[in-house]
Amino acid sequence: MKRAVIFLAASALAMPAHAQERAAGEAVEQSSAQNAPLFAGELEFSKAFLADIMAEGVVVPTPKDPGGGYTHEQHKRNFKAIYLGGQLYRLTGEQKYADYVRDVLLAYAELYPTLGEHPARKNSQSSGRIFWQVLNDAMWMVDSIQGYEAIRGSLSEADRENIDNNLFRKAAEFLSTGSAVTFSKIHNHATWATAGVGMTGYLLGDKELVDIALLGLDKSGETGFLRQSELLFSPDGYYTEGPYYQRFALKPFVVFAGAIEKNDPSRKIFEHRDGILLKALTTTIQLTYDGYFFPFNDAIRDKSLNTDELFHGVAVAYQKTRDPGLLSIAEWQGRTVLTDAGMMVANDLAAGKAKPFPFKSMLLSDGPSGNQGAVAVIREGDSTTGKALVAKNSSQGMGHGHFDKLSWQYYDNGHEIVTDYGAARFLNIEAKDGGRYLPENESWAKQTIAHNTLVVDETTHFGGDAKVADTIAPEQLYFSDTSGAQVSTGRIVGAYDGVDFTRTVALLDIAGLNHSLVVDLTRVNSDGPHKYDMPLHYMGQIMRVGFDLASNTQDRPVLGTGSGYQHIWIDAAGRPSTAKSAFVTWLLGDRFYTARWVPQANATTILAESGANDASFNLRREPMLIQRVDGVSDTTFASVLEAHGRYDGAAERTTASDSRIADIAHHRAGDSDIMIIETIGGERTAFAISYDKDPAAKHRAKIAGEDIRWTGFAAKVELPRGGSRK
Amino acid sequence: MKRAVIFLAASALAMPAHAQERAAGEAVEQSSAQNAPLFAGELEFSKAFLADIMAEGVVVPTPKDPGGGYTHEQHKRNFKAIYLGGQLYRLTGEQKYADYVRDVLLAYAELYPTLGEHPARKNSQSSGRIFWQVLNDAMWMVDSIQGYEAIRGSLSEADRENIDNNLFRKAAEFLSTGSAVTFSKIHNHATWATAGVGMTGYLLGDKELVDIALLGLDKSGETGFLRQSELLFSPDGYYTEGPYYQRFALKPFVVFAGAIEKNDPSRKIFEHRDGILLKALTTTIQLTYDGYFFPFNDAIRDKSLNTDELFHGVAVAYQKTRDPGLLSIAEWQGRTVLTDAGMMVANDLAAGKAKPFPFKSMLLSDGPSGNQGAVAVIREGDSTTGKALVAKNSSQGMGHGHFDKLSWQYYDNGHEIVTDYGAARFLNIEAKDGGRYLPENESWAKQTIAHNTLVVDETTHFGGDAKVADTIAPEQLYFSDTSGAQVSTGRIVGAYDGVDFTRTVALLDIAGLNHSLVVDLTRVNSDGPHKYDMPLHYMGQIMRVGFDLASNTQDRPVLGTGSGYQHIWIDAAGRPSTAKSAFVTWLLGDRFYTARWVPQANATTILAESGANDASFNLRREPMLIQRVDGVSDTTFASVLEAHGRYDGAAERTTASDSRIADIAHHRAGDSDIMIIETIGGERTAFAISYDKDPAAKHRAKIAGEDIRWTGFAAKVELPRGGSRK
């Protein structure tokens, strides 16, 4: 009896396959039931899933429906059954699993050769055979080939040849030469396709399939899996499309890498490019708050670490690294996979080896060479209730990128305070275009005004052209994770003709405040006058507005006609004249937040909400503040965001519901920007930015007779109290 | 040494007070540390609180600020310190606690005689001395007198007389004869006042104070605590103001009752009126979902069982009843009180005696005699993730009542699906009028259109006059908690001149549906044509609207000019012609909901949102559907609310995102109302209402040639499948 074990990363290879299988099965059932509840849980879950689907018999319907529809969901259930059934056969040796997986695959072998383009395909996407998108076909293949691997040795030669030739070879052909455009992309869709094709090549002993998977259809290495691993991740393991797709792309990377390691150990795939695949996994985890991914670019906001891709990723990475921080991630997930890597995770977790995952402030460079901007993550406290400030100074990230250069986002106290809309999409819901990206993804979610960054003349960065955007990345000028004075500065030239801007965000421990303060300073340079809008999208209920408002109480107009402005209702507008009054305080959860800014001359502040021009109710309705400055060339937006106080509904106790800051000011001194923050207690702190990359260079500014001295690019300087000022 | 032990419900009274105290203290510290973590936690928490406030010294500021302000919060902290400090002295015997409580009380004894009306008092409320409202003074007294009781025996005679005479006697005088209007009300404010005054009377041995507390200022028994316990609770233990105030009112009831029991055991206070006080406690708990109170009438929505009043209530009730369900409530609270009742709760919880609290469907009559309407609670599944349908057929409930006769609310899957706005109020937040009820509480939250019930001619029930509303209650016609066919029917005559309406809500287990279905049938009778609006306030994002809409995409008009209509933005409107298309599907959490109705001739459906005319951002913005029928006399609103499907973002799997119902119909047959529900699978079910209270009476209706037979007031009848229909 011949058995392929290519995807098993470790086993007692000397034993005959069948005995080995049984022994492993018994060992697993025993050890996991007693010692590793996580694995026992997976076994139980998988057995229940197989029992259910086996009771329904083999159901392989002719493809018909789009995402979310019946045939789509049934084929998804089938590849899950093929994968899990294979693993259960391997682990338990129970023939019923092998028989069922075989029967399902035989049904596919009969159906597959009859399939043409999917009837629900969309012109904008590459059609699959089984599914409406070729991507789903590739996902089907990645799981199915693993399930097939586990049972192939148990098949009759006739069945094996039938499934080999009529299903997997044909599917591999379709996904490679038959879908050459997708297969040859440097894109996550291509990673799924190359993984499926390559793993099929290993299993069928078809070197041609392996070669084109690794090196591209022309085997030049210009495309294919290896090139993808070089071009799609930065040296810091950041995936250019952003965290949501990083998670998604990770599974074919790690699963196929496992197969390469097994079949082609001399490639040392896990050491490839300084261990980029494992680095990508830990970076994916770092890009979360409370387990949820930072939702920038096209992202479904309810995606967390608790997802199939990362059950695989964590298990494979743990098996390679034994990093105990990964065990605490597995614990948070409460799930693992039915592989020996998953078993190791479960056993070591049960043995108490887990340690907290080391979430930390970090700068993640973007681009294959790390020079296409960066994502800066500034943290304070834990990743569940602490603070996290994310500066998105990264490159466009292709078609799923949003036009939001130098945008930012902020988390605190378990909540997203300054928000990113994510994608306008409801995954797999038929009523919402079958789960596809909705028209509002283009008209709102991708537009600059939907983000926390500068909009010039009511138009979107790069004119909303992703091809142009992909050619121009921001520059990360500075990053410091110094405790109490963490800073990130980025600059973008080319988002607009004739306008460039530099933004510094910082998290500063300020004397007199109980919470670290976010400082946000954006310096805009231009060759002529423009209209500048700086939106702040936040979550919460407004408690106090520091300035007079003209409110649209009787009917609610729309802010503009395009670039996302058509989706904004105007609630009110005002013209605060000083930073003492230029603030809005809101409540979210049990904490208060005050955004405060230095009003420029002739500036207006607009209080608004998303959701206009949305007859299909495709948008969430969320509040925003917009600082608007019209008819000036150079300008500076200088703001702070302050967390304060506590609202305790249970104890009916509220403290510090009003801002603890008395005033802020912005000064230009030479080429430096200086902000001065004064608390209601009179404590005064300056935050000075020299923009000088020399860390040893000393700087000095005189403001209203007061000497401010600091060293390096940016620094926090404590000043004499308000009373002693002059 | 003389010690009063009046508030200690049980103790080894034979021991000398001091020794007893010490022994108790040691026993507590030992047993709780080892066996009762709940009590140990309270001790630790209280010690930490006292350590903090003692480190600040005695701070008794001259009253100045309104709710949420500094002096308000400091005086709240002080009475907490007096209470807890007293309990800690009693439990540990440590002199520092007695000394601190004494010093704080001496400071109050010096301050109190100098106080007049509070500078931040509002004309609409009775002024306190220490606080802006007399209510807060009474709360101060209820806690402070208990703290004083614990240390009074340890004081010098001079200190004792000073505190007795200059603080507590004066405060008791102010709260009784000095605030005669409040003290003589049948209202929770009066309960707090009588409890404070009565407990002071017991402690100081002042029979006059006890008598007026129990029987009113004139000692006639027409007012006072005993009368309150008779008039404020219905025979089912329902408090006429609703769950939020029921919770609030409960503490003085149970705490003062404990003191009465101790000092006046012959009164058998806990047996008074068939054990009404303990019944009121369990009823309070029944009025929750996932631990949160049903928020009808003036209610802060974030009030849960996790609140000081109910730590006391649960402990006192458990000590009297040993009901193990109460232990699971204490476990959910994670808190108890520092009394021997609290210790018993903690010990028995640690001993594993807890059982689930028996949440169940129940009809709670309203009114002292139980004949002023009712609140019907219909449950299915547990109280955390199951279904709960609340029909509010109760009386107005005085000034905090909302004008929403026969309104309803619905919970499922851990969420509030059909919502009640609660109060427009932000507790203790200075920026929001210091935490008082906001103007929008009158202009929106109390208005009928803000609730899920019938509005006639865009005016509010009873013309919005609470005095009139208090004289007219609905009639509860029927209630059944039969599993699978739970029904409540209420009727109101007098909410509008010349219009009365009868509403049936039911939770029915329907063949072909995975979830029980809510049926809602409102029959309106009138002497002439009117405009009828039936709002449905819900939570979730719209997935699909079954009919064509004219959307206000460019600017968003306001629906009306008064009675709450001025706060409604119109998003869109349409005129569905059949029940097949008259539906709206939304998503909340991981479940879909479809509201479907039988469109009347010439009816319009309005999709809208609250938040218009709200320049101060005092309102939450929440969606609603309004069925509008204009120019008819009699009409019937026949609707269903269906839970279906599942959205699993983590697994990217969505099932049954569209309604499982094909059609619904409403028929009038004689005096009966019949709804027929047909699923997409063809299963057909009738729900028939005869309005005949005779449970044995048989009824029959012929609809389109089909015979429908049932017995009693209302029943579910399975019909032949759609295919056999004719």
Side-chain angles (χ1 to χ4, degrees):
Chain A
M1 191 175 129
K2 186 179 165 235
R3 274 182 55 86
V5 291
I6 52 168
F7 303 141
L8 292 170
S11 261
L13 290 179
M15 289 167 78
H18 194 72
Q20 174 191 328
E21 185 178 284
R22 280 286 163 81
E26 283 161 22
V28 169
E29 297 237 62
Q30 198 172 24
S31 89
S32 61
Q34 288 169 13
N35 301 322
L38 201 61
F39 202 79
E42 291 301 326
L43 267 177
E44 201 177 319
F45 169 82
S46 302
K47 286 176 178 174
F49 179 80
L50 264 293
D52 281 354
I53 201 165
M54 285 162 71
E56 296 165 20
V58 173
V59 181
V60 177
T62 300
K64 171 175 160 289
D65 302 326
Y70 165 70
T71 68
H72 182 95
E73 294 300 326
Q74 181 61 27
H75 289 296
K76 277 171 69 181
R77 293 180 74 214
N78 281 344
F79 75 65
K80 185 171 173 183
I82 294 165
Y83 175 79
L84 292 178
Q87 306 317 311
L88 285 175
Y89 174 64
R90 185 176 58 76
L91 290 164
T92 70
E94 286 185 56
Q95 190 61 35
K96 65 180 181 186
Y97 295 120
D99 291 349
Y100 183 72
V101 172
R102 177 198 63 207
D103 293 346
V104 173
L105 290 173
L106 286 171
Y108 274 106
E110 193 177 329
L111 174 71
Y112 198 89
T114 71
L115 299 177
E117 293 214 318
H118 192 283
R121 72 186 176 281
K122 285 278 159 178
N123 288 335
S124 58
Q125 294 168 330
S126 304
S127 167
R129 290 285 179 266
I130 303 171
F131 296 92
W132 66 337
Q133 287 189 58
V134 67
L135 169 65
N136 298 106
D137 274 43
M139 293 170 73
W140 181 96
M141 192 142 184
V142 166
D143 269 21
S144 295
I145 195 68
Q146 293 179 80
Y148 183 42
E149 178 275 333
I151 68 142
R152 188 167 177 267
S154 74
L155 299 183
S156 70
E157 192 162 323
D159 286 346
R160 190 161 62 232
E161 284 188 4
N162 183 2
I163 296 169
D164 278 5
N165 298 331
N166 288 315
L167 179 56
F168 285 106
R169 258 186 232 286
K170 286 210 160 53
E173 193 184 306
F174 167 67
L175 286 177
S176 56
T177 50
S179 308
V181 173
T182 297
F183 194 79
S184 304
K185 282 182 175 163
I186 301 296
H187 187 279
N188 79 70
H189 289 196
T191 310
W192 284 94
T194 54
V197 168
M199 289 160 79
T200 302
Y202 281 129
L203 182 62
L204 306 189
D206 186 331
K207 188 167 180 306
E208 175 71 11
L209 289 180
V210 172
D211 286 351
I212 60 173
L214 291 174
L215 301 168
L217 288 175
D218 64 0
K219 301 180 199 169
S220 69
E222 291 298 303
T223 65
F225 185 80
L226 295 176
R227 193 68 181 147
Q228 289 161 21
S229 77
E230 286 158 6
L231 291 182
L232 288 179
F233 294 109
S234 80
D236 292 320
Y238 176 74
Y239 179 73
T240 188
E241 293 191 278
Y244 177 80
Y245 278 98
Q246 173 141 0
R247 159 207 62 85
F248 181 64
L250 207 66
K251 180 172 165 179
F253 272 114
V254 295
V255 170
F256 188 27
I260 297 169
E261 175 87 342
K262 194 76 209 155
N263 290 273
D264 238 348
S266 64
R267 281 200 179 273
K268 296 187 190 295
I269 185 70
F270 283 109
E271 287 152 53
H272 183 60
R273 206 180 160 217
D274 200 21
I276 190 68
L277 292 177
L278 296 172
K279 200 181 282 178
L281 183 273
T282 53
T283 293
T284 306
I285 297 170
Q286 290 283 358
L287 291 167
T288 60
Y289 182 87
D290 197 20
Y292 286 79
F293 291 104
F294 302 143
F296 58 72
N297 290 338
D298 278 349
I300 302 289
R301 293 171 52 88
D302 47 7
K303 268 295 172 189
S304 72
L305 293 169
N306 197 354
T307 174
D308 181 59
E309 298 88 0
L310 283 163
F311 306 150
H312 282 275
V314 166
V316 169
Y318 183 71
Q319 192 176 46
K320 295 299 292 184
T321 63
R322 309 293 161 94
D323 174 354
L326 292 170
L327 294 178
S328 73
I329 300 298
E331 190 168 27
W332 189 91
Q333 294 172 325
R335 295 286 305 274
T336 189
V337 287
L338 283 184
T339 62
D340 51 353
M343 202 189 309
M344 182 181 287
V345 165
N347 283 329
D348 285 2
L349 188 56
K353 295 184 184 172
K355 290 191 178 164
F357 186 86
F359 287 100
K360 60 180 182 184
S361 296
M362 58 201 308
L363 184 67
L364 298 166
S365 66
D366 190 10
S369 310
N371 60 0
Q372 296 181 23
V375 172
V377 181
I378 289 174
R379 291 189 194 261
E380 183 189 280
D382 66 42
S383 75
T384 307
T385 63
K387 300 185 195 303
L389 193 167
V390 184
K392 190 189 177 224
N393 302 337
S394 52
S395 71
Q396 185 70 12
M398 305 185 287
H400 289 300
H402 287 192
F403 298 96
D404 61 347
K405 300 300 105 176
L406 313 195
S407 185
W408 65 295
Q409 211 194 333
Y410 184 57
Y411 296 86
D412 182 37
N413 197 28
H415 297 280
E416 191 182 350
I417 310 302
V418 174
T419 62
D420 188 294
Y421 190 88
R425 183 184 182 195
F426 296 89
L427 214 55
N428 279 338
I429 293 180
E430 279 204 61
K432 295 294 190 188
D433 285 12
R436 276 182 297 251
Y437 289 101
L438 294 164
E440 290 75 13
N441 197 56
E442 296 297 322
S443 66
W444 172 251
K446 281 187 174 177
Q447 300 295 326
T448 306
I449 191 65
H451 299 85
N452 304 300
T453 189
L454 183 73
V455 186
V456 178
D457 298 332
E458 300 196 19
T459 60
T460 277
H461 292 178
F462 308 106
D465 186 330
K467 288 206 178 68
V468 175
D470 264 327
T471 65
I472 300 172
E475 184 186 358
Q476 180 76 29
L477 298 177
Y478 180 70
F479 179 76
S480 167
D481 61 358
T482 302
S483 176
Q486 302 191 77
V487 183
S488 164
T489 303
R491 179 165 191 240
I492 179 73
V493 179
Y496 293 104
D497 287 343
V499 182
D500 60 76
F501 57 105
T502 303
R503 183 174 216 163
T504 299
V505 291
L507 189 63
L508 306 180
D509 182 8
I510 296 275
L513 299 181
N514 288 330
H515 289 275
S516 286
L517 184 74
V518 176
V519 173
D520 169 26
L521 192 141
T522 304
R523 187 163 158 175
V524 186
N525 296 304
S526 170
D527 53 8
H530 292 281
K531 180 195 277 186
Y532 298 116
D533 283 340
M534 180 61 88
L536 184 78
H537 299 265
Y538 65 95
M539 289 291 283
Q541 172 98 29
I542 290 178
M543 292 289 112
R544 197 189 282 281
V545 177
F547 52 97
D548 289 340
L549 287 174
S551 296
N552 297 313
T553 53
Q554 289 301 320
D555 69 290
R556 209 178 179 199
V558 169
L559 183 58
T561 56
S563 299
Y565 283 74
Q566 73 276 25
H567 290 301
I568 299 175
W569 297 119
I570 311 174
D571 282 315
R575 290 174 171 271
S577 55
T578 70
K580 282 185 198 296
S581 65
F583 71 86
V584 174
T585 299
W586 66 84
L587 172 65
L588 184 65
D590 64 358
R591 196 166 286 173
F592 299 91
Y593 297 89
T594 296
R596 182 185 299 272
W597 57 97
V598 180
Q600 296 103 320
N602 287 320
T604 308
T605 298
I606 299 165
L607 279 67
E609 195 181 64
S610 59
N613 263 298
D614 176 29
S616 301
F617 298 91
N618 284 342
L619 292 175
R620 298 190 308 274
R621 292 163 175 198
E622 295 179 345
M624 71 195 82
L625 295 172
I626 302 173
Q627 293 182 54
R628 170 168 284 185
V629 188
D630 202 355
V632 301
S633 297
D634 293 356
T635 193
T636 301
F637 292 91
S639 310
V640 297
L641 179 68
E642 175 197 2
H644 53 93
R646 175 148 196 252
Y647 171 74
D648 181 347
E652 300 197 9
R653 188 167 151 72
T654 301
T655 52
S657 59
D658 280 322
S659 169
R660 306 286 98 183
I661 292 181
D663 203 1
I664 62 172
H666 167 252
H667 303 275
R668 176 72 46 83
D671 208 38
S672 297
D673 280 303
I674 292 155
M675 280 181 73
I676 296 176
I677 296 121
E678 182 166 344
T679 70
I680 55 172
E683 293 93 344
R684 294 169 64 245
T685 306
F687 177 61
I689 315 167
S690 68
Y691 301 100
D692 179 347
K693 290 184 180 177
D694 178 356
K698 292 185 184 303
H699 303 278
R700 177 177 169 176
K702 196 151 203 149
I703 292 168
E706 188 168 46
D707 232 16
I708 296 173
R709 296 160 187 263
W710 75 100
T711 304
F713 192 99
K716 185 185 73 172
V717 185
E718 295 204 5
L719 302 180
R721 292 179 59 89
S724 62
R725 190 179 181 181
K726 184 79 353 125
Chain B
M1 187 174 129
K2 184 177 164 236
R3 270 183 58 86
V5 292
I6 52 167
F7 304 140
L8 291 170
S11 259
L13 290 179
M15 288 167 78
H18 194 71
Q20 174 192 328
E21 184 180 286
R22 277 289 163 80
E26 282 161 21
V28 169
E29 297 240 61
Q30 197 171 25
S31 90
S32 62
Q34 287 169 12
N35 300 322
L38 202 61
F39 202 80
E42 291 301 325
L43 268 177
E44 201 176 319
F45 168 82
S46 303
K47 286 177 179 175
F49 179 80
L50 265 293
D52 281 354
I53 201 165
M54 285 162 70
E56 295 165 20
V58 172
V59 181
V60 177
T62 300
K64 172 174 161 288
D65 301 326
Y70 165 70
T71 67
H72 183 95
E73 294 300 325
Q74 181 60 29
H75 288 297
K76 278 171 69 182
R77 293 179 75 213
N78 280 345
F79 76 65
K80 185 172 173 183
I82 294 166
Y83 176 78
L84 292 178
Q87 307 316 312
L88 286 175
Y89 173 64
R90 186 175 57 76
L91 290 163
T92 69
E94 286 186 56
Q95 190 61 37
K96 65 179 180 186
Y97 296 121
D99 290 349
Y100 182 71
V101 172
R102 176 198 64 209
D103 292 347
V104 173
L105 289 173
L106 286 171
Y108 274 105
E110 191 177 332
L111 174 70
Y112 198 87
T114 71
L115 298 177
E117 293 216 318
H118 193 283
R121 72 185 175 281
K122 285 277 158 178
N123 288 336
S124 59
Q125 296 168 329
S126 305
S127 168
R129 289 285 179 267
I130 303 172
F131 296 92
W132 66 337
Q133 286 189 61
V134 67
L135 169 65
N136 298 107
D137 275 43
M139 294 171 72
W140 181 96
M141 191 139 185
V142 166
D143 269 20
S144 295
I145 194 69
Q146 293 178 80
Y148 183 43
E149 178 275 332
I151 67 141
R152 189 167 176 266
S154 74
L155 298 184
S156 70
E157 194 163 321
D159 286 345
R160 191 162 60 233
E161 283 187 4
N162 184 1
I163 295 169
D164 279 2
N165 298 331
N166 288 316
L167 179 57
F168 285 105
R169 259 186 231 286
K170 286 210 159 53
E173 192 184 309
F174 168 68
L175 285 176
S176 56
T177 51
S179 308
V181 173
T182 297
F183 193 79
S184 304
K185 281 183 176 164
I186 302 295
H187 187 281
N188 80 70
H189 289 197
T191 310
W192 284 95
T194 54
V197 169
M199 289 161 78
T200 301
Y202 282 130
L203 182 62
L204 305 189
D206 185 332
K207 189 167 179 307
E208 174 71 11
L209 290 179
V210 172
D211 286 350
I212 60 172
L214 291 173
L215 301 169
L217 289 176
D218 64 359
K219 301 181 200 168
S220 69
E222 291 299 302
T223 64
F225 185 80
L226 295 176
R227 192 67 180 147
Q228 289 161 20
S229 78
E230 286 158 6
L231 292 181
L232 288 178
F233 294 109
S234 81
D236 293 320
Y238 176 73
Y239 179 74
T240 189
E241 294 191 278
Y244 177 80
Y245 278 98
Q246 174 140 0
R247 158 208 61 85
F248 181 64
L250 208 65
K251 179 171 165 180
F253 272 115
V254 296
V255 170
F256 188 28
I260 296 169
E261 175 88 342
K262 194 76 208 156
N263 290 275
D264 237 348
S266 64
R267 282 201 179 271
K268 296 187 189 301
I269 186 70
F270 283 110
E271 286 152 53
H272 183 60
R273 208 181 158 216
D274 200 21
I276 191 67
L277 293 177
L278 296 172
K279 200 181 284 179
L281 184 272
T282 54
T283 293
T284 307
I285 297 170
Q286 291 282 359
L287 291 167
T288 60
Y289 182 87
D290 198 21
Y292 285 78
F293 292 104
F294 302 143
F296 57 73
N297 290 339
D298 278 348
I300 302 290
R301 292 170 53 86
D302 47 8
K303 266 294 172 190
S304 72
L305 292 170
N306 198 354
T307 174
D308 181 59
E309 297 89 0
L310 283 163
F311 306 150
H312 282 275
V314 166
V316 169
Y318 182 72
Q319 192 177 45
K320 295 299 292 183
T321 65
R322 309 292 162 95
D323 173 354
L326 293 170
L327 294 178
S328 73
I329 300 298
E331 190 169 26
W332 189 91
Q333 294 171 326
R335 295 286 306 274
T336 190
V337 287
L338 283 185
T339 63
D340 51 355
M343 201 190 309
M344 182 182 286
V345 164
N347 282 329
D348 285 2
L349 188 57
K353 294 184 185 173
K355 289 189 179 165
F357 186 86
F359 287 100
K360 60 180 182 183
S361 296
M362 57 201 311
L363 183 67
L364 298 166
S365 65
D366 191 9
S369 309
N371 61 359
Q372 295 181 21
V375 172
V377 181
I378 289 174
R379 293 188 192 261
E380 183 189 281
D382 67 41
S383 75
T384 307
T385 63
K387 300 184 195 305
L389 193 167
V390 184
K392 191 191 178 224
N393 302 337
S394 51
S395 70
Q396 186 69 13
M398 306 186 286
H400 290 301
H402 288 192
F403 298 95
D404 60 347
K405 299 301 106 178
L406 313 195
S407 186
W408 66 294
Q409 210 195 335
Y410 185 56
Y411 295 86
D412 182 37
N413 198 30
H415 297 279
E416 191 183 351
I417 310 301
V418 173
T419 61
D420 189 294
Y421 191 88
R425 181 185 183 194
F426 296 90
L427 215 54
N428 279 340
I429 293 180
E430 279 204 60
K432 296 294 189 189
D433 284 12
R436 276 183 296 250
Y437 289 101
L438 293 164
E440 290 75 12
N441 197 55
E442 297 296 323
S443 66
W444 172 251
K446 282 187 174 177
Q447 301 294 326
T448 306
I449 192 65
H451 299 84
N452 304 299
T453 191
L454 182 74
V455 186
V456 178
D457 298 332
E458 299 196 19
T459 60
T460 277
H461 293 178
F462 307 106
D465 185 331
K467 287 206 179 67
V468 176
D470 263 327
T471 65
I472 300 173
E475 183 186 357
Q476 180 77 28
L477 297 178
Y478 180 70
F479 179 75
S480 168
D481 61 358
T482 302
S483 175
Q486 302 191 78
V487 183
S488 165
T489 302
R491 181 164 190 240
I492 178 74
V493 179
Y496 293 103
D497 286 343
V499 182
D500 60 76
F501 57 105
T502 303
R503 184 175 215 162
T504 300
V505 292
L507 190 63
L508 306 180
D509 181 8
I510 296 275
L513 299 182
N514 289 331
H515 289 275
S516 286
L517 184 74
V518 176
V519 174
D520 170 25
L521 192 140
T522 304
R523 189 164 156 175
V524 186
N525 297 304
S526 170
D527 53 7
H530 292 282
K531 181 196 276 187
Y532 297 117
D533 284 339
M534 180 61 87
L536 184 78
H537 298 266
Y538 65 95
M539 290 290 284
Q541 171 98 29
I542 290 179
M543 293 289 112
R544 196 189 282 282
V545 177
F547 53 95
D548 289 340
L549 287 174
S551 296
N552 297 315
T553 53
Q554 289 302 320
D555 69 291
R556 209 179 179 198
V558 169
L559 183 57
T561 55
S563 298
Y565 284 74
Q566 73 276 26
H567 290 302
I568 299 175
W569 297 120
I570 311 174
D571 283 315
R575 290 175 171 270
S577 55
T578 70
K580 282 184 197 300
S581 64
F583 71 86
V584 174
T585 299
W586 67 84
L587 172 65
L588 184 65
D590 64 358
R591 196 167 287 173
F592 300 91
Y593 297 88
T594 296
R596 182 185 298 273
W597 58 97
V598 180
Q600 296 104 317
N602 287 320
T604 309
T605 298
I606 298 164
L607 278 68
E609 195 181 64
S610 59
N613 263 300
D614 176 30
S616 301
F617 298 91
N618 284 343
L619 292 175
R620 299 190 308 274
R621 293 164 175 197
E622 296 179 343
M624 71 195 83
L625 294 171
I626 303 173
Q627 294 181 54
R628 169 168 286 187
V629 188
D630 201 354
V632 301
S633 297
D634 293 355
T635 193
T636 301
F637 292 91
S639 310
V640 297
L641 179 68
E642 175 197 1
H644 53 93
R646 175 147 197 253
Y647 171 75
D648 181 347
E652 302 198 8
R653 187 167 150 72
T654 301
T655 53
S657 59
D658 280 323
S659 169
R660 306 284 99 183
I661 291 180
D663 204 358
I664 61 172
H666 166 252
H667 303 276
R668 175 73 44 84
D671 208 40
S672 296
D673 280 304
I674 293 154
M675 280 181 73
I676 296 177
I677 296 122
E678 182 165 345
T679 70
I680 55 172
E683 292 93 343
R684 294 171 63 246
T685 306
F687 178 61
I689 313 168
S690 67
Y691 301 101
D692 179 346
K693 290 184 180 176
D694 178 356
K698 292 186 184 307
H699 303 279
R700 177 178 170 177
K702 195 150 203 148
I703 292 168
E706 188 169 44
D707 232 16
I708 296 173
R709 293 159 189 265
W710 75 100
T711 304
F713 192 100
K716 186 184 73 170
V717 184
E718 295 206 2
L719 302 180
R721 291 179 61 88
S724 62
R725 193 177 181 181
K726 182 103 341 130

